[in-house]
Amino acid sequence: MAWDFETDPEYQAKLDWAGEFVREEVEPLDLLFPGLVFTPPDEKLRKIIDPLKADVRRQGLWATHLAPDLGGQGYGQLKLCLLNEILGRSSWAPVIFGCQAPDTGNAEIIAHYGTPEQKERYLRPLLEGEMFSCYSMTEPHAGSDPTMFTTRAIRDGDEWVLSGWKFFSSNARTASFLIVMAVTNPDVSPYKGMSMFLVPADTPGIEIVRNVGLPGEPLGEGSHALIHYQDVRLPADALLGGENQAFVIAQTRLGGGRIHHAMRTIGQASKALDMMCERALSRETQGSLLAEKQFVQGYIADSYAQLTQFRLFVLYTAWTIDKYKNYQKVRKDIAAIKVLMPGVLHDIAQRALQVHGALGASNEMPFHQMILGASVLGLADGPTEVHKVTVARQVLRDYKPSDDLWPTQHLPKRLAAARAKLAVHLDHEVGNL
């Protein structure tokens, strides 16, 4: 029977190195260069981050989400989970380790579905950290509901002509190319009539109408673009995967992306719990430490239990992905952790803010960003409500209705069945009296 909660010593040593490296070398970048994570670095910044990336490569921890033939380690989702818990503590860490979103998901689908030429043009520099990418799927009127998408790509001889609107296309402003999802056959189900295209960012006809930010960012200075594609002409080889295969490709990308979000969320929530505990042991009020107040002890206990349950669920889901090598087979659990993820981060960050008092509510602590991040996680890669529906439907597939008017566990019904099953024995006992 194989059942183990231990990490092999060799990989644990790598995790220990990564933990210290992120804390000592990478987290300072979050403070010094907070708005440049997804901006192509200039020479000054390269002198700082390139040696850090080289250190990661020497440790064999660069782009670990990909197979060795693509420059990664092929570690699998369970090992990725343990590493991403550490990387989630820093916004710069995924870039330094070659696994930043949305580039990880974009790299994964190019690796799976791209031609050799597409891999050379887009995948190799993406893995090397030489460029950034954008996943342009959501539409202003439709959100993430693909059945309502209207952006079209029409075949015109040896070219495709792309037209339509996309919203919240993250990092479009600094991306070297975009992956665009468009309707190519409007006469069939949207799930069978859409395709994906690799579009260089400098292609004529691409207009970033405005960049949308998150709360706290000035208008027009965000990184989530409203894009108008107006008669954008693309060569036939811009098609990613087969024609009308966009939904299959998207599920490959989103399945991995959702669990990677969960892995990094563990790191963020752990950081909030760490800060809460430190504050509780450091601050006195009304004659005793905060750590001695029952309300604060309740916050800590609830946060520890909530985080531990979530972490074990994410680790289990990562293990099942490694076991089956099939995101669809694990769809229910991926959707379930997506549902839990924003609540875990929000609850723990909110409690930590409360324990810090006025300081926690200020911009000198990171709790507001964490809480805002939790609300974004409730929408990223599909809203929580949609994933709850997915979970319910998947769970219900393992059940069937009762075969008559009464529930299976109705006690009179069970009692009658038990008597019928043991009738011979019961009659024998009665006869002996």
Side-chain angles (χ1 to χ4, degrees):
M1 177 179 178
W3 190 259
D4 197 353
F5 287 96
E6 291 184 334
T7 304
D8 67 80
E10 182 180 354
Y11 190 64
Q12 185 59 55
K14 290 183 178 295
L15 294 175
D16 293 341
W17 178 88
E20 182 178 359
F21 180 75
V22 168
R23 184 172 56 253
E24 299 297 330
E25 305 296 337
V26 182
E27 288 190 22
L29 302 180
D30 297 339
L31 303 172
L32 297 172
F33 310 106
L36 300 179
V37 175
F38 292 104
T39 300
D42 57 21
E43 287 304 312
K44 179 180 178 181
L45 189 54
R46 275 187 177 276
K47 290 179 180 179
I48 297 173
I49 66 174
D50 283 357
L52 299 179
K53 291 180 179 180
D55 288 340
V56 171
R57 289 178 189 275
R58 280 192 289 271
Q59 289 292 327
L61 292 173
W62 175 262
T64 51
H65 58 292
L66 292 174
D69 60 320
L70 295 172
Q73 300 297 323
Y75 278 156
Q77 297 299 323
L78 184 58
K79 284 189 173 182
L80 278 181
C81 187
L82 296 171
L83 178 61
N84 270 289
E85 290 177 4
I86 297 169
L87 305 188
R89 300 173 69 93
S90 162
S91 58
W92 266 97
V95 173
I96 300 301
F97 281 71
C99 60
Q100 69 278 2
D103 297 327
T104 47
N106 293 344
E108 186 171 1
I109 58 176
I110 296 173
H112 275 90
Y113 300 100
T115 64
E117 293 77 15
Q118 289 171 336
K119 291 177 182 178
E120 177 62 26
R121 181 175 181 181
Y122 298 107
L123 181 59
R124 186 198 60 76
L126 198 61
L127 297 179
E128 293 296 325
E130 297 174 5
M131 63 168 58
F132 293 102
S133 61
C134 168
Y135 188 65
S136 193
M137 173 182 170
T138 300
E139 298 193 2
H141 65 285
S144 59
D145 181 0
T147 66
M148 296 180 64
F149 287 179
T150 58
T151 296
R152 288 287 308 276
I154 300 173
R155 192 67 181 259
D156 183 18
D158 293 332
E159 294 182 316
W160 290 93
V161 181
L162 177 69
S163 298
W165 291 79
K166 293 290 183 180
F167 182 56
F168 230 72
S169 294
S170 301
N171 303 328
R173 183 173 60 181
T174 58
S176 297
F177 70 94
L178 309 95
I179 299 179
V180 184
M181 192 168 178
V183 177
T184 46
N185 185 352
D187 299 325
V188 299
S189 162
Y191 297 106
K192 298 180 179 180
M194 290 187 289
S195 303
M196 283 193 186
F197 296 89
L198 292 162
V199 184
D202 58 359
T203 306
I206 300 176
E207 178 191 4
I208 295 181
V209 178
R210 68 176 185 271
N211 284 294
V212 180
L214 298 175
E217 296 179 322
L219 284 175
E221 295 187 15
S223 59
H224 310 283
L226 172 65
I227 305 178
H228 185 204
Y229 297 95
Q230 186 170 9
D231 297 328
V232 178
R233 289 195 164 269
L234 304 169
D237 61 7
L239 185 69
L240 176 61
E243 187 174 340
N244 301 322
Q245 295 296 306
F247 190 74
V248 174
I249 298 172
Q251 289 306 111
T252 299
R253 182 190 185 280
L254 294 173
R258 286 164 183 151
I259 191 169
H260 295 161
H261 278 316
M263 295 171 183
R264 289 187 286 268
T265 298
I266 295 169
Q268 282 285 293
S270 296
K271 193 171 185 178
L273 178 57
D274 290 347
M275 288 187 284
M276 189 194 318
C277 292
E278 180 190 69
R279 181 69 169 182
L281 291 168
S282 305
R283 188 67 181 264
E284 289 190 12
T285 183
Q286 296 183 341
S288 63
L289 288 170
L290 289 175
E292 297 173 4
K293 310 296 184 185
Q294 287 185 334
F295 262 116
V296 175
Q297 290 171 349
Y299 287 162
I300 293 170
D302 288 343
S303 298
Y304 173 79
Q306 193 174 10
L307 178 58
T308 301
Q309 291 175 67
F310 179 65
R311 180 175 184 264
L312 288 173
F313 193 6
V314 175
L315 286 167
Y316 168 75
T317 303
W319 177 82
T320 54
I321 293 172
D322 288 343
K323 179 179 175 66
Y324 296 114
K325 303 292 189 295
N326 185 341
Y327 286 119
Q328 285 298 102
K329 195 173 183 67
V330 194
R331 184 182 178 191
K332 174 178 61 181
D333 290 337
I334 291 176
I337 61 175
K338 174 66 173 64
V339 169
L340 294 173
M341 178 169 54
V344 170
L345 180 56
H346 171 275
D347 293 351
I348 297 175
Q350 178 63 50
R351 295 179 193 123
L353 184 157
Q354 193 75 8
V355 171
H356 281 75
L359 179 62
S362 75
N363 62 0
E364 295 184 356
M365 295 299 289
F367 301 122
H368 279 295
Q369 291 96 322
M370 289 181 173
I371 292 170
L372 175 60
S375 67
V376 173
L377 288 172
L379 294 168
D381 293 339
T384 296
E385 295 79 3
V386 170
H387 290 289
K388 284 187 177 182
V389 172
T390 297
V391 173
R393 287 175 175 171
Q394 294 285 321
V395 169
L396 287 170
R397 288 181 181 180
D398 295 330
Y399 294 86
K400 61 183 180 180
S402 59
D403 54 9
D404 58 29
L405 176 63
W406 305 106
T408 302
Q409 295 300 317
H410 185 229
L411 292 178
K413 177 180 176 178
R414 292 182 61 201
L415 180 59
R419 283 174 172 163
K421 182 175 182 179
L422 300 175
V424 174
H425 300 286
L426 291 173
D427 290 344
H428 177 70
E429 292 297 328
V430 171
N432 287 335
L433 292 177

